[in-house]
Amino acid sequence: MSAAAGTPDLSGVPAAQWLEARRRHAAIRALAETPERTRADAEATAAVLGIDISFVYKLLARYEADPRVTSMLPRRRGRRDGDLVLAAEVDEVIQAAIDEMFLTRQRPRVSDLVTEIRRRCWTLGLPRPSRKTVQKRIDQRAPREVLARREGRKAARDRFAPATGALDAPWPLALIQIDHTLVDVMAVDSVTRQPIQRPWLTIAIDVHSRCVAGFHLTLEAPSATSVALCLAHAALPKAGWLMARGIAGAWPVEGVPERLHLDNAKEFHSEAMRRGCEQYGIAVDYRPVRTPHYGGHIERLIGTMMGKVHLLPGTTFSSVREKGDYDPEKTAAMTLEEIERWLGHAIVGVYHRDLHRGIGLPPLAAWERGLAGDGVQEGRGTPVAVSDQRRFLIDFLPFERRLVRREGVFLHSISYWSDVLHTWVGEREKMLVRYDPRDLSRVYLLGPDGQYYDLAYSDLGRPPISVWEHRLALKRLREDGKAQVDEEAIFRTIETMRGITDQASAATKTARRQRARQTRNEATSAMPASGVGSVAKLKPLPADRRVFANVEEWT
């Protein structure tokens, strides 16, 4: 062992011991440097220090091995803290049991490990160690090794790997993070008030100010559409959205973000998402694999919002331990619309105005300071506004490419038409057609002139349907053995399914979910665009084709 191996932390040395070590060091150094020193010299040093001459020679040996003041510090007698005195055979049993049993993905408790070690020692006729002794052996193992073998290498990297890299957000909208979570509360059907399911929340945060940029609440699992609706809500003005929900207060966050920061989920890699961002000059960064600290801001925001949700009736809490014997289905009381309105109030009236410890001021104040500046840092000025609000949303919707035929454009086995199609009938190149999965009664065809044209059902008597209804209908038709699926069969099947849902909605949770989706889509179709604020009124269809106008919705 080197001389420095046992050097104590200087900050932990008591002042009195340090003064005594300095006194000893000066005297022993003088003795060590005395040429041709004699026993009389050693006796004189012992008299100065008030110690026995034999101890002088011990100190002299210490000095010659390590000529620093710390070598003169008093040393404890006996075993030091952490020293282990145990028969080699018992220690071997303990180490083997730790490797074979404790450091495994089954993750047994320490008490189980102690029981197994004592059993093995009893079988071999060896003394049985205490739990404290076993715990000391575990503590000697490297924490990273223990975590890697019990929970996996990824968990060890997440906890112990250096958090290199930084997220640079010098002003508002410089960087927006988006992520999804299941809301920790059970939604109920708006008619029967019976539980349906936990809704999904897609939420965006402005990293500079920590303001919530926008969100989207839905019963559907995360998708490219969820991301598009959340991003559009973040970029567009929210005054009308707040007014439609009776939420007082300002939510000034709007404008085209400079950069998005996303994880590697499939919905964030959609072609619609990529092209929409390219169209508006929005850079996209994907979180490096196995680097959870890169998503820290959005994850902390989600944690904050879910903490607030736990105050609501029907909360599922975040863990079984928190939940206890609380039954969320028995206490659930809020519809999807009411949860959405509650979240709006929580963001605008509480979160934006409360002190954020990470930045030292409320998010709303940080947003305003980031725009206007504060005398120390120059503000970014007014954000770039979205010039065409209708098109901004459409540019992020999913799309397919279709030929224009004499009968119209066919998408999802449904025929669409508009008089403008006469111009492109017979074109050999497929044209881009975007659609809103929530309402297939209208799609948007991108013309050669760069403009989107609204196409409605060729048969105007068809009701608005969603993609999920369409998929269920196709599944049922295929289960019935119908190889050829046509438009008539799809709508007839959906009508039958809706009738069954209405009759069974009070009985099953699945039926209640289906009816809640249908009701929400119907409300979307009837809702005037001016009432939702975040989306400008759509370009009207010709007078004879306005049956399904104003179908845009914000949730």
Side-chain angles (χ1 to χ4, degrees):
M1 180 183 295
S2 67
T7 301
D9 179 6
L10 298 183
S11 63
V13 177
Q17 292 185 14
W18 184 252
L19 289 174
E20 177 62 16
R22 288 177 58 193
R23 191 173 75 92
R24 290 179 178 180
H25 185 267
I28 298 298
R29 179 179 178 179
L31 178 63
E33 294 176 352
T34 300
E36 300 179 1
R37 62 176 176 265
T38 64
R39 179 178 177 84
D41 296 326
E43 290 175 344
T45 301
V48 170
L49 295 177
I51 58 178
D52 188 83
I53 190 172
S54 61
F55 192 43
V56 168
Y57 285 117
K58 288 182 180 179
L59 293 179
L60 185 60
R62 284 193 210 171
Y63 178 85
E64 290 173 344
D66 178 14
R68 294 181 299 172
V69 176
T70 49
S71 67
M72 300 293 107
L73 286 169
R75 295 184 178 179
R76 287 185 56 182
R77 296 183 179 181
R79 288 188 289 122
R80 299 180 181 179
D81 292 339
D83 286 350
L84 303 173
V85 177
L86 197 66
E89 296 86 351
V90 177
D91 186 67
E92 186 176 343
V93 171
I94 295 175
Q95 299 295 353
I98 291 174
D99 284 321
E100 297 166 9
M101 177 185 174
F102 187 72
L103 299 183
T104 64
R105 296 303 290 269
Q106 283 73 33
R107 292 183 287 177
R109 297 173 300 175
V110 174
S111 58
D112 297 326
L113 174 65
V114 172
T115 300
E116 173 61 16
I117 290 173
R118 288 175 175 173
R119 184 194 67 79
R120 294 185 185 187
C121 288
W122 177 82
T123 302
L124 297 172
L126 298 172
R128 283 166 281 181
S130 67
R131 178 182 175 124
K132 184 177 180 181
T133 298
V134 174
Q135 185 64 59
K136 284 184 177 180
R137 294 308 191 281
I138 295 173
D139 294 342
Q140 286 179 330
R141 300 294 185 100
R144 180 165 183 163
E145 177 202 0
V146 173
L147 187 62
R149 292 178 63 177
R150 284 173 63 86
E151 300 184 28
R153 288 190 297 249
K154 180 180 183 302
R157 279 195 301 268
D158 291 347
R159 181 175 299 181
F160 295 106
T164 56
L167 298 177
D168 184 26
W171 48 73
L173 296 180
L175 179 62
I176 297 290
Q177 287 185 335
I178 304 178
D179 208 348
H180 318 281
T181 187
L182 263 175
V183 180
D184 293 337
V185 69
M186 188 71 67
V188 302
D189 178 78
S190 60
V191 177
T192 65
R193 313 299 290 193
Q194 294 296 309
I196 304 174
Q197 69 172 60
R198 294 166 62 188
W200 281 96
L201 175 69
T202 302
I203 192 166
I205 185 174
D206 174 59
V207 173
H208 173 84
S209 66
R210 306 299 200 272
C211 279
V212 177
F215 73 91
H216 175 63
L217 191 70
T218 180
L219 295 176
E220 311 301 329
S223 65
T225 305
S226 303
V227 179
L229 295 173
C230 177
L231 181 57
H233 189 220
L236 301 180
K238 301 174 183 61
W241 187 94
L242 295 171
M243 185 182 300
R245 288 153 182 78
I247 301 174
W251 192 347
V253 183
E254 62 178 89
V256 179
E258 297 177 14
R259 187 160 54 112
L260 297 182
H261 190 257
L262 314 169
D263 68 19
N264 286 280
K266 179 176 66 176
E267 60 271 15
F268 291 126
H269 285 272
S270 70
E271 188 175 359
M273 177 78 180
R274 178 178 61 80
R275 291 198 174 202
C277 289
E278 290 173 352
Q279 171 75 358
Y280 292 93
I282 303 172
V284 179
D285 293 338
Y286 291 100
R287 183 189 305 179
V289 178
R290 302 190 182 101
T291 53
H293 60 280
Y294 271 83
H297 300 297
I298 189 67
E299 289 173 1
R300 282 191 290 274
L301 171 63
I302 287 174
T304 298
M305 300 311 298
M306 291 306 100
K308 297 179 184 297
V309 165
H310 292 169
L311 302 175
L312 297 179
T315 179
T316 59
F317 294 99
S318 299
S319 66
V320 175
R321 184 174 183 179
E322 286 182 284
K323 180 179 176 182
D325 60 359
Y326 181 87
D327 189 344
E329 293 200 7
K330 289 184 178 179
T331 57
M334 299 178 70
T335 65
L336 195 65
E337 291 76 13
E338 289 166 344
I339 295 173
E340 176 191 72
R341 192 162 63 250
W342 185 92
L343 284 171
H345 279 290
I347 292 168
V348 173
V350 181
Y351 173 76
H352 278 175
R353 299 178 181 278
D354 198 9
L355 177 68
H356 192 292
R357 294 184 179 179
I359 56 177
L361 69 165
L364 192 60
W367 171 268
E368 294 169 349
R369 183 188 67 178
L371 297 183
D374 59 0
V376 177
Q377 185 173 354
E378 186 177 354
R380 69 153 292 165
T382 304
V384 178
V386 176
S387 57
D388 187 338
Q389 298 180 13
R390 169 184 178 272
R391 172 144 190 170
F392 187 87
L393 170 62
I394 294 176
D395 278 331
F396 285 92
L397 291 177
F399 64 86
E400 301 286 347
R401 294 185 182 277
R402 292 292 185 269
L403 289 173
V404 178
R405 307 180 185 278
R406 289 190 303 168
E407 301 83 1
V409 171
F410 288 85
L411 186 66
H412 305 300
S413 302
I414 300 172
S415 173
Y416 295 89
W417 181 258
S418 172
D419 290 340
V420 73
L421 294 182
H422 286 299
T423 309
W424 302 304
V425 171
E427 287 282 343
R428 296 183 179 181
E429 294 292 329
K430 292 183 177 181
M431 303 181 72
L432 187 145
V433 181
R434 294 187 184 269
Y435 61 94
D436 185 338
R438 301 166 301 168
D439 187 351
L440 297 181
S441 65
R442 177 166 48 175
V443 297
Y444 313 96
L445 180 139
L446 182 63
D449 58 357
Q451 298 296 315
Y452 280 106
Y453 294 87
D454 298 353
L455 310 182
Y457 290 149
S458 294
D459 183 349
L460 295 177
R462 304 290 192 201
I465 64 172
S466 64
V467 162
W468 62 265
E469 284 184 299
H470 181 273
R471 289 172 180 166
L472 287 176
L474 289 182
K475 180 180 179 182
R476 173 167 291 197
L477 287 169
R478 293 189 181 107
E479 288 173 350
D480 292 342
K482 296 185 179 181
Q484 298 296 324
V485 176
D486 57 32
E487 181 177 326
E488 182 67 30
I490 291 172
F491 281 96
R492 188 169 57 247
T493 302
I494 289 175
E495 184 177 356
T496 301
M497 291 163 55
R498 286 182 173 181
I500 294 173
T501 298
D502 289 340
Q503 294 175 9
S505 60
T508 69
K509 192 180 296 183
T510 299
R512 289 197 295 271
R513 275 197 295 267
Q514 292 177 350
R515 186 174 67 176
R517 288 163 171 155
Q518 178 186 339
T519 302
R520 196 160 174 82
N521 283 344
E522 289 173 352
T524 300
S525 298
M527 186 183 295
S530 59
V532 294
S534 291
V535 179
K537 192 168 183 178
L538 298 175
K539 179 180 179 181
L541 295 171
D544 61 340
R545 307 182 71 82
R546 292 183 184 173
V547 178
F548 304 117
N550 301 324
V551 299
E552 293 300 319
E553 173 206 24
W554 284 106
T555 58

